[in-house]
Amino acid sequence: MKVLLTGGAGYIGSHTAVELLNAGYEIVIIDDFSNSNENVLNAIKKITNKDFEFYKFDYKDREKLEKVFEENKIDAVINFAGFKAVGESVQKPLEYYYNNVTGAIILLQTMKKYGVKRFIFSSSATVYGNPEKVPITEESKTGGTTNPYGTSKLQIEQILTDLYKSDNTWNICILRYFNPVGAHSSGLIGEEPQGIPNNLMPYIVRVASGELEILSVFGNDYDTPDGTGVRDYIHVVDLSIGHMKALQKLDRSGLYIYNLGTGKGYSVLDIVRNFEEATGQKVKYKIAPRRDGDIATCYADPSKAKAELGWEAKRDLKDMCRDSWNYIQKKKES
């Protein structure tokens, strides 16, 4: 089976590429490096000792996208090309809707044209908005999203639902990620945001390494045990394996939705403490005002993915911290 990964050089895309190649899949990667690095491609090859096709362009370029389908017999598509920073989406809503929603439509139209109907979508727990209760199941109410990033994911989920209703020969899997962190144990690939990181773990490791001065903790007055936001952090390798399990599920037509998380909630200060314990590095932090679009608590009930996909997260918070630190250390050495 040949799988197209849009945004495949990015954080989650690159780890999924490794898992797919190691499992014997062929892959094709499209990426424009707007939030990734071309060195990742060589790292994927080094980890797996396997080669793959790569195209450099923005996935919204319909003409170039069609060329990829003409030159390759694509069997399935996993879309990792969405912009993903909550705070940035509040500042740049038009860019987020254009890239995420318009890009997904162009991709789906192209798939339809070439008769490719297996699709895995990288969605997000943000589609649940401010959850009425936790843990969150796939049947929990969606909507009431608090930022354009989350709204763009919800809009694409609706598009996919309508697409499947119109033609139930599609095989669609929506994966609602919680908070991916960590890196590959080799230290060769990890989270590599452009500029100042928007996500917690890459910020922590850069403060610990001296690259950044201090971590801003956005809000300590939430209704949580220590006042800081609580999230479900999942190791990126576990998340990547979830995509492979979802791909196997798409042997039969249907529209499937799964939460991918650990089922445990940790606060920002929990992560800081666990990072310090796992690495022996001190993380200097300060309390800052709440960030637009953030909510207090969000963690998954992942039991449906376990029951239907045979998937569950295996790596714990210490693994996530240790692998994140290992990645930044290896990067400095190189």
Side-chain angles (χ1 to χ4, degrees):
M1 180 185 280
K2 186 174 278 192
V3 185
L4 173 63
L5 310 180
T6 58
Y11 177 44
I12 300 166
S14 61
H15 287 82
T16 304
V18 166
E19 296 304 319
L20 291 174
L21 287 168
N22 281 340
Y25 290 89
E26 291 182 82
I27 66 168
V28 178
I29 289 178
I30 295 170
D31 208 297
D32 65 353
F33 303 125
S34 60
N35 196 31
S36 57
N37 188 304
E38 58 189 306
N39 296 333
V40 168
L41 302 176
N42 286 330
I44 295 169
K45 291 172 186 175
K46 189 171 180 182
I47 293 167
T48 62
N49 201 28
K50 292 182 180 176
D51 204 358
F52 51 86
E53 293 293 323
F54 171 73
Y55 296 82
K56 183 183 177 183
F57 65 89
D58 182 329
Y59 85 131
K60 298 186 296 295
D61 188 325
R62 192 186 298 270
E63 192 177 320
K64 289 181 179 174
L65 189 59
E66 289 189 358
K67 188 166 181 269
V68 173
F69 280 82
E70 283 164 9
E71 292 179 356
N72 300 273
K73 175 66 180 75
I74 303 296
D75 297 297
V77 177
I78 309 179
N79 183 16
F80 295 111
F83 292 162
K84 61 175 188 173
V86 167
E88 184 183 62
S89 77
V90 176
Q91 305 301 318
K92 299 179 176 179
L94 294 180
E95 288 90 334
Y96 269 68
Y97 288 122
Y98 179 55
N99 183 75
N100 293 6
V101 182
T102 304
I105 291 170
I106 291 168
L107 179 58
L108 289 163
Q109 287 174 331
T110 306
M111 289 176 65
K112 184 179 177 182
K113 179 175 178 178
Y114 290 91
V116 180
K117 293 187 174 181
R118 291 180 184 177
F119 185 67
I120 296 176
F121 176 55
S122 299
S123 192
S124 163
T126 54
V127 301
Y128 295 112
N130 201 340
E132 294 171 345
K133 61 177 184 174
V134 289
I136 299 167
T137 71
E138 289 82 356
E139 284 69 46
S140 296
K141 181 181 167 189
T142 58
T145 46
T146 59
N147 53 77
Y149 163 73
T151 305
S152 75
K153 294 292 187 182
L154 190 60
Q155 288 176 345
I156 298 164
E157 286 199 12
Q158 186 61 56
I159 289 165
L160 292 170
T161 302
D162 292 340
L163 176 61
Y164 181 72
K165 277 181 190 169
S166 73
D167 178 1
N168 61 17
T169 64
W170 280 80
N171 307 33
I172 297 169
C173 192
I174 294 168
L175 299 178
R176 291 174 178 160
Y177 305 170
F178 281 68
N179 290 67
V181 296
H184 193 268
S185 57
S186 66
L188 294 174
I189 55 174
E191 192 163 9
E192 191 59 36
Q194 305 287 351
I196 302 296
N198 285 294
N199 294 336
L200 178 62
M201 190 64 83
Y203 211 111
I204 286 175
V205 296
R206 282 157 181 77
V207 170
S209 69
E211 197 176 317
L212 294 172
E213 184 187 350
I214 193 166
L215 170 71
S216 293
V217 176
F218 297 107
N220 67 341
D221 57 350
Y222 286 105
D223 184 17
T224 63
D226 63 19
T228 65
V230 169
R231 298 290 182 271
D232 188 334
Y233 294 91
I234 175 172
H235 198 294
V236 66
V237 173
D238 282 331
L239 186 66
S240 299
I241 292 167
H243 289 78
M244 197 164 59
K245 295 284 191 182
L247 202 53
Q248 293 162 3
K249 180 78 173 176
L250 293 188
D251 283 343
R252 64 185 81 173
S253 63
L255 174 65
Y256 306 99
I257 299 174
Y258 299 103
N259 288 334
L260 295 186
T262 64
K264 298 179 184 131
Y266 295 98
S267 74
V268 175
L269 295 184
D270 284 335
I271 302 297
V272 170
R273 282 191 290 271
N274 272 274
F275 182 87
E276 290 178 339
E277 288 170 15
T279 66
Q281 303 299 314
K282 192 73 182 157
V283 178
K284 189 178 176 188
Y285 70 88
K286 66 177 181 182
I287 304 300
R290 290 187 184 193
R291 194 168 50 177
D292 285 344
D294 277 350
I295 61 174
T297 304
C298 181
Y299 62 93
D301 176 349
S303 57
K304 185 181 175 188
K306 183 177 181 180
E308 295 188 14
L309 299 181
W311 173 90
E312 64 181 324
K314 305 280 191 191
R315 293 156 183 83
D316 63 18
L317 198 51
K318 289 285 195 299
D319 295 323
M320 301 175 207
C321 294
R322 203 163 33 240
D323 289 343
S324 297
W325 181 242
N326 180 47
Y327 171 68
I328 204 92
Q329 293 301 102
K330 284 272 173 68
K331 186 169 165 254
K332 284 171 81 174
E333 288 167 13
S334 62

